[in-house]
């Protein structure tokens, strides 16, 4: 999604899109692929191992190939929807507070979710344990914080550059998987994590360097302008001094001619 956000932001919002940002986005996507290890690229052995003795275990793959293809299509629609939302937030900018955008998003989500549950006859599920309730509350709290911070980031930075931060959530997911589920990431996942971190650092450093170079250019232009102004002032003073000297010489010459005329008389 960050790549589509950068491209749409370039054409719709007329934002800058440098070559290094596109390279960083492409490499970050490659890092995500190394972490996710989709079976259609890495084979069935890359899928998570699930013990068959666990009755609550989920299969590594669910549904037929047609259903998985439909799932991919739905995911692509989700990418388009997310891109439109991010571009809209960036277009609004600081004209609205981040909480305004999050509030309207939450209100719209509640309305559409209730309508969808009614139309699809989806029953309401209530927490049946403290752990379930704690997880639901955590989803609400952390989701709100994430949406607010994401909106604030889009208000302050170009859409393409700000959306690259979405790849960082893969790192947190991998860390949580290690801490909570005690799953050791393979070498490919570690390589993907290194690639994502490197790209994020590269984008941040190049932005800072570009801003410093721009500041140096402005300061250099200001010093050149100041030097030109000083030279113009000096030239003006030289012209005034020359005019005063010419006037003084002319006055002396006139007085000398007057003295000569008086002596002649």
């Amino acid at each position: 999604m960050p790549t589509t956000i950068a491209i749409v932001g370039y054409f719709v919002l007329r934002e800058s899109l440098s070559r290094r940002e596109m390279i960083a986005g492409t490499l970050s996507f490659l890092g995500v692929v190394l972490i996710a290890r989709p079976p259609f690229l890495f084979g069935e052995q890359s899928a998570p191992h699930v013990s068959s003795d666990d009755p609550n275990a989920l299969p590594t793959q669910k549904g037929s190939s047609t259903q998985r293809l439909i799932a991919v299509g739905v995911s692509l629609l989700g990418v388009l929807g997310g891109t439109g939302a991010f571009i809209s937030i960036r277009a609004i900018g600081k004209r609205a507070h981040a909480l305004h955008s999050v509030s309207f998003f939450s209100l719209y989500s509640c309305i559409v979710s209730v309508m969808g549950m009614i139309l699809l006859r989806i029953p309401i599920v209530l927490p049946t344990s403290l752990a379930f309730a704690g997880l639901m509350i955590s989803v609400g709290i952390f989701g709100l914080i994430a949406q607010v911070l994401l909106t604030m980031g889009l208000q302050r930075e170009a859409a393409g550059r700000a959306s690259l931060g979405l790849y960082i959530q893969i790192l947190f997911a991998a860390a949580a998987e290690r801490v909570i589920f005690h799953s050791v990431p393979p070498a490919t996942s570690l390589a993907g994590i290194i690639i994502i971190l490197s790209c994020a650092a590269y984008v941040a450093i190049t932005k800072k360097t570009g801003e410093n170079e721009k500041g140096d250019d402005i300061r250099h232009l200001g010093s050149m302008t100041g030097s030109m102004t000083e030279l113009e002032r000096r030239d003006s003073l030289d012209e005034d001094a020359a005019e005063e000297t010419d006037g003084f010489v002319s006055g002396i010459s006139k007085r000398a001619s007057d003295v000569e005329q008086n002596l002649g008389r």
Side-chain angles (χ1 to χ4, degrees), residues 162-182:
S163 61
L164 289 176
L166 294 176
Y167 286 129
I168 305 297
Q169 63 186 347
I170 304 296
L171 307 181
F172 290 102
E177 183 181 9
R178 176 68 181 90
V179 174
I180 298 175
F181 300 104
H182 306 287

Side-chain angles (χ1 to χ4, degrees), residues 154-165:
L154 288 171
Q155 290 176 341
R156 290 164 172 79
E157 185 56 276
R161 187 183 294 272
S163 61
L164 289 176

Side-chain angles (χ1 to χ4, degrees), residues 74-247:
V74 174
S75 300
L76 292 177
L77 290 177
V79 170
L80 295 178
T83 301
F86 281 29
I87 295 299
S88 299
I89 293 174
R90 178 58 184 165
I92 294 173
K94 294 184 179 181
R95 290 177 292 179
H97 195 274
L99 292 177
H100 294 159
S101 300
V102 175
S103 298
F104 278 104
F105 171 72
S106 302
L107 177 61
Y108 182 79
S109 298
C110 290
I111 296 175
V112 174
S113 298
V114 171
M115 293 176 60
M117 293 177 65
I118 294 175
L119 293 176
L120 299 178
R121 297 181 180 179
I122 299 176
I124 298 177
V125 178
L126 298 176
T128 56
S129 63
L130 292 177
F132 191 3
L135 290 175
M136 295 298 293
I137 294 174
S138 299
V139 170
I141 294 175
F142 292 114
L144 175 63
I145 295 174
Q147 290 296 326
V148 172
L149 295 179
L150 180 61
T151 303
M152 293 175 65
L154 288 171
Q155 290 176 341
R156 290 164 172 79
E157 185 56 276
R161 187 183 294 272
S163 61
L164 289 176
L166 294 176
Y167 286 129
I168 305 297
Q169 63 186 347
I170 304 296
L171 307 181
F172 290 102
E177 183 181 9
R178 176 68 181 90
V179 174
I180 298 175
F181 300 104
H182 306 287
S183 175
V184 179
T188 55
S189 296
L190 295 177
I193 292 174
I194 294 174
I195 291 175
I196 294 175
L197 288 177
S198 301
C199 291
Y202 172 72
V203 171
I205 292 173
T206 52
K207 180 179 184 296
K208 185 177 180 180
T209 303
E211 290 179 349
N212 291 338
E213 292 176 353
K214 183 178 179 181
D216 293 338
D217 293 339
I218 293 175
R219 287 191 293 270
H220 180 64
L221 180 61
S223 62
M224 291 180 60
T225 304
S227 300
M228 293 178 63
T229 304
E230 181 66 19
L231 290 175
E232 292 176 355
R233 188 181 67 83
R234 291 180 180 179
D235 292 340
S236 177
L237 291 176
D238 292 340
E239 292 177 358
D240 294 339
E243 292 179 357
E244 291 178 358
T245 302
D246 293 339

Side-chain angles (χ1 to χ4, degrees), residues 48-60:
H49 176 71
V50 180
S51 176
S52 58
D53 298 333
D54 188 359
N56 297 322
L58 296 176
T60 56

